[in-house]
Amino acid sequence: MVRRPVPVTAVPRDEPLAAWRLEFHAPVASFRDPLFLGPAHGLPVPPPSTVRGLLAAATGELSESLPFGMAAWSEGGGVDAETYHPIAADGANPSVSGRVRAGKGGMTIRNRPFLVGVHLAVWLPGADGDRIARAFRRPRWPLRLGRSQDLVHVTGREQVVLEPAEEAVVGHALAPVDGHQVPDALVHRMAASVAADRVTTAWTDYLWCDIPAGRHRVHGAYLDREYDDGVHPGAGKGRAVWLLHP
């Protein structure tokens, strides 16, 4: 069962908000778009549900439902040829040592898009943010960004203050569809969260810019004055951040 899409809203606050900013790097990662059949279409950024899985891996909880902000970008990408060994439900083509025979419904090779040099920043506010940031000192489970082989490393951990903003540099942060009006921003429908039993998924539309967008008016956003994603020449520090619900 799939939930009907729901809009993302920023957490409404008029006062500065203490938060942790955690930064991550993954040498290689792949985020398959489940709204397309097969693995041939990839997302340019990790879905929020994937990031929630990363947080839960650190804490050992089944899920983490706090609102958080995130920004992500990659240094490049490519397409890999992967061998798939689907197992027939009726046992017509059983696996032997993890492999199945080639043929209709059997072993096949498909293209799989991947990203290289994935950079991710996550803003975790409040008491839950403190708890999760502590957990990353000694994660309960291995840290992965998506697939089991896509290891991710913590590269930064800093306490920051998020200030309500009406204008800011729009970087690579995920934003609600009403968060800004940057002409070059694209709308991506991604999973906001997945239930622990993996039966239900919440789908949401997000805005994301893959090129430097510069300074714009923003709605429902915060400003992290000290954050610099390193890909906006001359913009200096300070980026817009939106806190998103599951």
Side-chain angles (χ1 to χ4, degrees):
M1 181 177 67
V2 178
R3 295 181 192 171
R4 301 175 66 181
V6 295
V8 174
T9 55
V11 177
R13 291 184 184 272
D14 298 324
E15 300 294 330
L17 181 63
W20 283 92
R21 186 207 315 131
L22 303 182
E23 297 183 62
F24 304 87
H25 177 262
V28 178
S30 178
F31 311 111
R32 185 180 70 85
D33 191 339
L35 297 179
F36 288 77
L37 293 177
H41 189 273
L43 293 167
V45 293
S49 61
T50 296
V51 176
R52 292 191 182 279
L54 174 65
L55 303 182
T59 62
E61 299 293 335
L62 289 177
S63 63
E64 292 292 350
S65 59
L66 82 164
F68 65 76
M70 62 170 285
W73 63 281
S74 63
E75 299 173 18
V79 178
D80 193 12
E82 291 192 342
T83 304
Y84 287 78
H85 297 270
I87 300 174
D90 59 2
N93 193 3
S95 65
V96 178
S97 299
R99 298 175 179 272
V100 299
R101 296 190 307 273
K104 185 176 181 180
M107 185 275 292
T108 184
I109 296 177
R110 296 179 178 177
N111 290 335
R112 176 87 184 211
F114 65 90
L115 303 173
V116 296
V118 179
H119 299 263
L120 170 68
V122 181
W123 287 264
L124 305 170
D128 280 332
D130 293 337
R131 173 180 57 83
I132 296 174
R134 288 195 302 270
F136 274 97
R137 292 185 177 274
R138 296 187 64 183
R140 180 70 179 272
W141 301 108
L143 301 180
R144 299 181 173 95
L145 197 60
R147 300 181 300 176
S148 59
Q149 66 265 44
D150 296 338
L151 300 180
V152 64
H153 310 280
V154 181
T155 59
R157 183 177 181 274
E158 185 175 352
Q159 285 185 299
V160 300
V161 175
L162 300 177
E163 305 173 18
E166 296 183 355
E167 184 176 294
V169 174
V170 177
H172 292 303
L174 241 59
V177 291
D178 62 347
H180 58 75
Q181 297 183 351
V182 175
D184 296 315
L186 298 177
V187 176
H188 297 276
R189 173 156 291 187
M190 294 185 285
S193 61
V194 178
D197 59 7
R198 305 188 68 82
V199 173
T200 57
T201 299
W203 299 97
T204 305
D205 291 338
Y206 299 92
L207 282 177
W208 183 75
C209 294
D210 64 346
I211 62 175
R215 183 172 295 276
H216 291 268
R217 291 192 61 81
V218 293
H219 173 70
Y222 287 93
L223 172 67
D224 182 348
R225 291 188 180 275
E226 297 302 315
Y227 179 63
D228 181 2
D229 53 15
V231 295
H232 294 69
K237 294 183 178 180
R239 297 291 183 273
V241 177
W242 287 264
L243 298 183
L244 308 173
H245 287 290

